[in-house]
Amino acid sequence: MNYTEIAEILKILLVSIFLLYACYLDIKTRTVPNKVWKAMLISIFPLLAYQVYQSLNYPISLISYAIGATFMILLSYLFYAMNAWGGADAKALMCLSIAFPFYPELSPFLLNRGIGVFSFSVLANSVIFAPFIVVAILFRNLVTEGFKGFFRHPIYYVAGYRIPVEKIGFHNLFEFVDENGKLRRVRRAVESDRGKILRLKKAGIEKVWVTPALPFIVFITFGFFVAIFFGDLVVAFIILAFG
């Protein structure tokens, strides 16, 4: 194992710690301070600088890095401007586009390098993670709630779960009590607030259907680990289907 590979492994470990910490903060508080991303870039800078220095004799690689990073930074900002995701999600992908100038090729299970831009593979993997969440939620509900309720509320079974009212936090509600004291069940979950929670408690309702409203950075983190170990799953599926 050479120094470049050691630098890559250390960088992956550091980035993993910051991504997992950002997931924790976003789930608990729905906020990831800018200092998290600054600290991540500062901590990996010596390793990144060493990798770039080692590649000075390969200008094509550095040009590809600059183009790929610029593309992902602009794409991340565009999605943020369109309200497709939050600021933390955009900053996470921007930082990843800077942190990994070259696709890490350390895993023995690596299937491909996607289009060669690591952060784009992370994004692609994060998008296809959603269906697996749906399957997991459905399985959980079939076990805990039974099959009978599925036919009455199929959307609830694949998009949410029931929790005690006192445990409602950063959830969206499929069931709530309106200002007239009437229990409402909706197909598109609404944002929870103090008033809705108080009315549920006042009505004596113990459990309600909610959707977890996971921040997208959780999916990005999943996509990061998949990209490290297996590569770009979207490209892998395309090759499998048409190759």
Side-chain angles (χ1 to χ4, degrees):
M1 183 178 292
N2 57 43
Y3 290 121
T4 301
E5 290 174 332
I6 293 173
E8 192 76 276
I9 291 172
L10 291 174
K11 191 169 59 173
I12 289 171
L13 290 174
L14 287 170
V15 170
S16 299
I17 292 170
F18 280 101
L19 283 178
L20 291 171
Y21 180 58
C23 287
Y24 170 78
L25 290 177
D26 214 0
I27 290 172
K28 296 293 287 186
T29 68
R30 283 300 190 267
T31 302
V32 181
N34 288 334
K35 63 182 180 181
V36 173
W37 308 117
K38 292 177 181 178
M40 184 178 83
L41 291 178
I42 291 171
S43 68
I44 67 169
F45 178 76
L47 303 170
L48 176 61
Y50 175 77
Q51 286 185 308
V52 172
Y53 173 76
Q54 290 294 103
S55 303
L56 290 178
N57 292 329
Y58 306 96
I60 297 299
S61 296
L62 294 178
I63 292 172
S64 297
Y65 165 46
I67 293 173
T70 301
F71 169 74
M72 284 305 299
I73 289 172
L74 292 175
L75 182 67
S76 299
Y77 181 78
L78 175 63
F79 282 4
Y80 169 70
M82 295 170 59
N83 291 319
W85 56 35
D89 309 317
K91 291 166 189 172
L93 281 170
M94 289 177 182
C95 288
L96 288 176
S97 68
I98 295 170
F100 292 93
F102 317 111
Y103 204 109
E105 298 186 58
L106 301 172
S107 171
F109 309 107
L110 193 67
L111 301 173
N112 59 69
R113 298 188 305 114
I115 64 171
V117 180
F118 177 72
S119 55
F120 187 82
S121 292
V122 172
L123 176 59
N125 289 338
S126 66
V127 171
I128 66 172
F129 179 43
F132 294 100
I133 289 290
V134 170
V135 172
I137 289 176
L138 174 61
F139 180 76
R140 174 198 181 277
N141 287 329
L142 290 175
V143 172
T144 59
E145 303 292 337
F147 286 82
K148 188 175 180 180
F150 173 75
F151 299 102
R152 294 199 306 268
H153 307 295
I155 294 177
Y156 296 178
Y157 266 65
V158 298
Y161 44 78
R162 286 209 308 160
I163 63 171
V165 171
E166 61 268 18
K167 290 188 176 181
I168 296 174
F170 291 105
H171 299 91
N172 292 333
L173 306 177
F174 282 121
E175 297 178 307
F176 63 95
V177 174
D178 64 19
E179 294 179 353
N180 297 319
K182 182 180 179 181
L183 178 63
R184 299 277 307 277
R185 293 187 173 92
V186 293
R187 291 179 176 271
R188 176 173 292 184
V190 299
E191 189 173 348
S192 62
D193 57 40
R194 183 180 176 84
K196 291 186 180 72
I197 295 172
L198 288 175
R199 287 196 293 270
L200 285 168
K201 291 179 178 179
K202 187 176 180 180
I205 297 172
E206 297 182 354
K207 285 188 173 183
V208 291
W209 284 93
V210 301
T211 183
L214 283 175
F216 191 64
I217 196 169
V218 173
F219 297 86
I220 291 174
T221 302
F222 171 83
F224 170 79
F225 287 115
V226 171
I228 290 290
F229 288 103
F230 302 107
D232 191 316
L233 294 188
V234 173
V235 170
F237 290 147
I238 292 173
I239 293 173
L240 184 64
F242 301 102

